[in-house]
Amino acid sequence: MPGTLLDARAFDETCDAVDDVNVLKSEIWNSKSEFDAQKDKTQFRRYEEACDRVKNFYREQHENQTVEYNIKARVEFKSKKRARMGVWEAIEMLNTLVDESDPDTSLSQIEHLLQTAEAIRRDGKPEWMQVTGLVHDLGKLLFLFGSEGQWDVVGDTFVVGCKFSDKIIYPDTFGNNPDSYDPVYSSEYGIYRPNCGLDNVMLSWGHDEYLYNVLKDQSSLPAEGLAMIRYHSFYPWHRENAYNHLTSPKDLKILEAVRAFNPYDLYSKSDAPCDVEKLKPYYQRLIAKYFPPVLDW
């Protein structure tokens, strides 16, 4: 049952293991990232050296992320409210999950969120991008709200409803996904039209897609901020250039935004811990600027 001490520990360990092998290359929001100039980027997303936990996680994810499941997940999202709370309360709730797990983990969720936001802030990026960094992983609350497991919360995302791209990590593990043998879902375009645009495709359900759906009508974040949230785990697209046959000209601007954001998400994990209480007033001010006091989750 998600939410127990054992499940919380396993969730946190999987998140850490997946994050440990994650990256991208890529003052005004779309200027070059400066904070990560000295970081060794070859140490990220080394999936060939990943531990069994990561490999087993992706095998489970790839077997279970079907069109049928994704439709069900979206229907459930629209049919019920999981909580009503403010953004900072949600941050503290997510951090509770980490506090209940292995105390030897290198980062708590709140540290990762603040490190991401602070790296963006130090590079002189706008306030909306800073607060996007602060909230980008709040979709992991799904684990506390009764997810199926970890496979529908974390990990890289990909398109369902058409042929699984060979640019997805561990593509061979889709062998047990029934959509791989469906004559429509396994075709190049599947249920989509050529260059229909990412707004019109279904991404595998997880914390990115969930949080995007929570915030798109409950925040004043610009389109670029919402795209950073929705697509930051969509590595087959923004790193490997997959799905060009489905993207539209509008998606090129979105791609620029996601690539501008991802260095802060990935490389900030090696930064020094943040002073939460010292930073809290600054980010509470930003939260009040871009979000209502209470949101439906």
Side-chain angles (χ1 to χ4, degrees), residues 108-164:
S108 68
Q109 286 294 332
I110 197 168
E111 284 179 316
H112 170 54
L113 295 178
L114 284 169
Q115 284 182 343
T116 302
E118 281 293 280
I120 294 169
R121 182 184 177 189
R122 287 196 300 272
D123 261 3
K125 301 300 172 71
E127 289 182 340
W128 66 259
M129 189 170 175
Q130 296 172 35
V131 81
T132 296
L134 181 71
V135 304
H136 77 280
D137 269 349
L138 284 185
K140 291 178 182 178
L141 285 169
L142 265 179
F143 187 75
L144 297 176
F145 293 154
S147 63
E148 295 282 331
Q150 299 179 32
W151 58 266
D152 63 342
V153 179
V154 296
D156 289 6
T157 57
F158 46 88
V159 178
V160 297
C162 66
K163 182 180 179 181
F164 295 117

Side-chain angles (χ1 to χ4, degrees), residues 158-159 162 165 188-189 192-203 231 234-256 258-259:
F158 46 88
V159 178
C162 66
S165 171
E188 187 73 7
Y189 290 96
Y192 309 114
R193 295 180 181 273
N195 304 113
C196 60
L198 294 182
D199 282 343
N200 298 305
V201 305
M202 191 158 50
L203 291 181
Y231 300 120
F234 191 17
Y235 284 94
W237 176 56
H238 67 67
R239 176 181 165 90
E240 303 297 339
N241 298 309
Y243 300 111
N244 288 333
H245 61 300
L246 298 178
T247 57
S248 67
K250 172 187 173 184
D251 295 324
L252 293 177
K253 185 69 173 179
I254 295 303
L255 178 61
E256 183 183 7
V258 179
R259 285 178 169 168

Side-chain angles (χ1 to χ4, degrees), residues 22-24 44-45 235 262-270:
N22 267 333
V23 74
L24 197 153
F44 298 82
R45 288 190 71 82
Y235 284 94
N262 267 75
Y264 301 104
D265 178 20
L266 294 170
Y267 305 140
S268 65
K269 292 171 183 147
S270 60

Side-chain angles (χ1 to χ4, degrees), residues 178-218:
D179 288 1
S180 295
Y181 308 100
D182 184 281
V184 175
Y185 300 155
S186 63
S187 64
E188 187 73 7
Y189 290 96
I191 60 178
Y192 309 114
R193 295 180 181 273
N195 304 113
C196 60
L198 294 182
D199 282 343
N200 298 305
V201 305
M202 191 158 50
L203 291 181
S204 54
W205 185 255
H207 73 284
D208 298 23
E209 192 71 2
Y210 164 69
L211 186 62
Y212 166 75
N213 279 280
V214 168
L215 297 183
K216 66 179 181 178
D217 298 319
Q218 297 189 94

